[in-house]
Amino acid sequence: MPTLPQGLTAAAFAAAVAKFTAALGAERVVTSDEDVALYRDAYSPLWNEPGELVASAAVVPDSVEHVQAIVRIANEHRVPLYPIATGKNLGYGGSAPNLSGSVIVDMKRMNRILEVDESRGFALVEPGVSYFDIYRHIQERGLKLWIDCPDPGWGSLVGNALDHGVGYTFGPFRDHFGSHCGMEVVLPSGEIMRTGMGALPGAKSWQEYRYGFGPYVDGLFGQGNFGIVTKMGFWLMPEPEAYRSGVVLVPRRRDLVALVDQVNYLEHASLIGQPNYGSPLQRLVANEPELRAMLEKPGGPSDDELDRFAASRSQAVWQCELQFYGPERTIAGNWEYAKERLAAAIPGARFEDRESYRFPLSAQDKEGVPHKVALGIPNMAIFSIGARSDFNPNPRDGHLWFAPVIPKSGEAVLDCQRVLGEVYRELGMGGGAFLQTPATWHFRTFIMLVGFSVSRTDPAVNQRSLANFRRVVEVAAEHGWGEYRSPPVMADEIMSTYSFNDHVLRRFCETLKDAADPNGIIAAGRGGIWPRYLRERQP
Ligand SMILES: Cc1cc2nc3c(=O)[nH]c(=O)nc-3n(C[C@H](O)[C@H](O)[C@H](O)COP(=O)(O)OP(=O)(O)OC[C@H]3O[C@@H](n4cnc5c(N)ncnc54)[C@H](O)[C@@H]3O)c2cc1C
């Protein structure tokens, strides 16, 4: 027996399924328990519990007309839908809906690459196109273009971008929603809308000028529930002639402030791609009780303590890897320039050369690249991190990500370390915060990422993770740091932290939702926005 949408009788649901089947064909309607179970969130913190968010069925359209038919039937029968692209959103809800009983609209069979323009640098794709698909397409045609991909290559350009996903090359391309241009959407009414220049019949620059005329509405469809996206354009990066990377190491804790200032300059001036911060002290934590004690004591180490410890072990406190893309001569010059600036700003800064490549790479060369996504090569290596091994005999079943946005400054990082250090201590999560460095996917902000374990066998682990997650979200919000993305189980709480002027952002979105989707059929609860008939569910 499927989990039915709230307020729908078994007979009414069966009638809707019969209409889906008539419109799409039986092979595109998924109803068996075994098949519907494939849409469970593999990282759900409510696995096998009554509150687990599960689908009632799935429909798998092949065309925009199919999507329109699905929306029409859903309106007639008040069936909530939940669209996914490739459905690989692990850590942020997988392919499960925000509202149990929703019918998944699985777009993976709409996987056509409609256009790739080499000289103008864009692609137009359907939602089922994965990073592997577009990469293969570009390689097979020998196009001098790069994609920017997230760590797991099996996801889709559309799904990843619509959840504000991120990658690893140059700033403007790493923000996948920010580097999209033009959408086609089936609205809750069933009408097809094209955004930006696409609104002009016969437009010649749909994938190049994003604003068209009038309000720019694309943002409503990112982490939103205002339609089902059926096409999306993306800007692509020209293949550079060469790549090189180098590392700068700085000796003192407070050097982080000047380090971030300098690296920001290099990045905002387009001289480097993604900078990667870290602390060489991290490697010592396991075997250095003195360091561990320092990190775990209330308030963490003083600047002096940490600096003295690092000096006594001949270690830098922080490091940052810089990545250069472009003509070989230019990037060699940029690396020299970066060294000059950093050495002048930070006494004692040291530098190490790292990788260097000329493109195109042979298949064998590609195999040897340690972090392939920095070169726009999709892969699945990231999953080896959590895999079973001698060092990790009992891997976790999954995780939830706490990912607050903080300012892109060294002061903000040090402040966030102190605040998180306190809350981690309160929650018994160890002293990791004092060496934690930010994730740098976004061009203009940092993220302080923390994973919370998920277990399929021990509900206590999940309860603890959810409670801890709630606490860090609350503390972060008190300091002006908000989540950029959320698993469905946390969406309402996170939206409620975006509360300026009595939650006017949410109320405005609800007003739009009620007008555009009066029956509340599209992705109820996505982004913390519920249709009128479900509002009482909010905290
Ligand atoms: C180990 C690990 C590493 C990861 N690394 C990264 C990373 O580097 N960068 C990153 O961004 N993410 C990362 N993720 C998260 C996630 O795996 C990726 O973001 C993935 O690309 C999302 O899955 P997808 O592309 O299949 O999107 P989907 O799951 O298909 O879609 C995501 C959401 O977008 C909406 N949506 C999708 N399609 C449509 C549509 N057609 N119309 C309307 N709404 C739609 C839905 O709400 C859907 O739930 C990681 C996860 C794990 C477990």
Side-chain angles (χ1 to χ4, degrees), residues 61-379:
D62 219 2
S63 65
V64 179
E65 292 72 30
H66 276 169
V67 178
Q68 289 181 287
I70 291 164
V71 167
R72 198 186 59 244
I73 295 163
N75 267 314
E76 275 168 31
H77 293 268
R78 304 288 195 272
V79 174
L81 302 174
Y82 190 80
I84 58 169
T86 40
K88 305 289 194 242
N89 210 6
L90 294 174
Y92 301 108
S95 40
N98 280 64
L99 174 69
S100 269
S102 299
V103 171
I104 302 292
V105 184
D106 179 346
M107 304 288 280
K108 75 164 74 70
R109 282 206 204 154
M110 288 180 63
N111 60 356
R112 283 158 283 233
I113 297 172
L114 301 164
E115 192 177 356
V116 177
D117 189 300
E118 186 176 29
S119 103
R120 288 151 71 197
F122 67 79
L124 178 65
V125 299
E126 290 186 332
V129 173
S130 73
Y131 289 98
F132 287 124
D133 294 335
I134 184 94
Y135 181 76
R136 200 174 307 120
H137 180 97
I138 288 170
Q139 294 296 304
E140 282 170 3
R141 284 158 187 75
L143 306 177
K144 299 287 176 207
L145 288 171
W146 273 22
I147 60 166
D148 184 287
C149 47
D151 264 315
W154 62 356
S156 56
L157 284 79
V158 170
N160 182 280
L162 290 179
D163 205 18
H164 299 168
V166 285
Y168 289 92
T169 64
F170 250 95
F173 298 97
R174 295 202 304 267
D175 170 0
H176 294 159
F177 192 80
S179 61
H180 97 273
C181 190
M183 289 183 182
E184 180 184 90
V185 190
V186 173
L187 297 173
S189 64
E191 283 179 294
I192 302 173
M193 179 173 79
R194 290 186 173 180
T195 66
M197 293 306 289
L200 186 108
K204 298 289 188 288
S205 47
W206 185 21
Q207 271 58 70
E208 291 160 289
Y209 184 66
R210 53 160 65 112
Y211 305 122
F213 189 75
Y216 174 66
V217 298
D218 290 41
L220 291 172
F221 303 98
Q223 296 185 358
N225 48 17
F226 293 96
I228 302 181
V229 175
T230 47
K231 293 183 183 64
M232 225 166 143
F234 291 93
W235 290 337
L236 303 174
M237 181 170 154
E239 178 181 270
E241 181 185 293
Y243 165 95
R244 70 183 301 156
S245 60
V247 171
V248 48
L249 299 115
V250 298
R252 292 163 298 267
R253 185 193 234 174
R254 297 280 316 162
D255 289 338
L256 188 64
V257 175
L259 179 64
V260 174
D261 284 348
Q262 294 305 317
V263 172
N264 279 357
Y265 175 85
L266 296 170
E267 190 180 20
H268 299 166
S270 299
L271 298 175
I272 58 168
Q274 186 188 28
N276 292 314
Y277 291 91
S279 171
L281 299 180
Q282 284 282 13
R283 287 193 300 266
L284 307 187
V285 173
N287 299 319
E288 290 274 10
E290 185 186 338
L291 177 60
R292 266 205 315 282
M294 230 185 259
L295 296 172
E296 280 168 15
K297 72 178 181 178
S302 70
D303 293 346
D304 270 0
E305 279 172 322
L306 199 63
D307 294 352
R308 264 189 276 114
F309 177 85
S312 72
R313 304 300 194 274
S314 304
Q315 295 289 337
V317 176
W318 310 114
Q319 66 176 47
C320 184
E321 182 197 35
L322 308 179
Q323 307 190 84
F324 301 86
Y325 302 81
E328 208 158 25
R329 279 174 303 167
T330 316
I331 62 174
N334 288 347
W335 178 214
E336 287 311 309
Y337 175 71
K339 287 195 265 193
E340 275 167 32
R341 274 190 82 101
L342 286 155
I346 308 171
R350 291 188 292 113
F351 304 92
E352 291 173 5
D353 285 341
R354 291 285 157 91
E355 295 155 65
S356 165
Y357 305 106
R358 261 188 88 88
F359 303 108
L361 295 179
S362 68
Q364 200 185 348
D365 289 341
K366 282 181 198 168
E367 279 307 308
V369 174
H371 195 215
K372 295 183 178 55
V373 284
L375 307 186
I377 305 170
N379 66 92

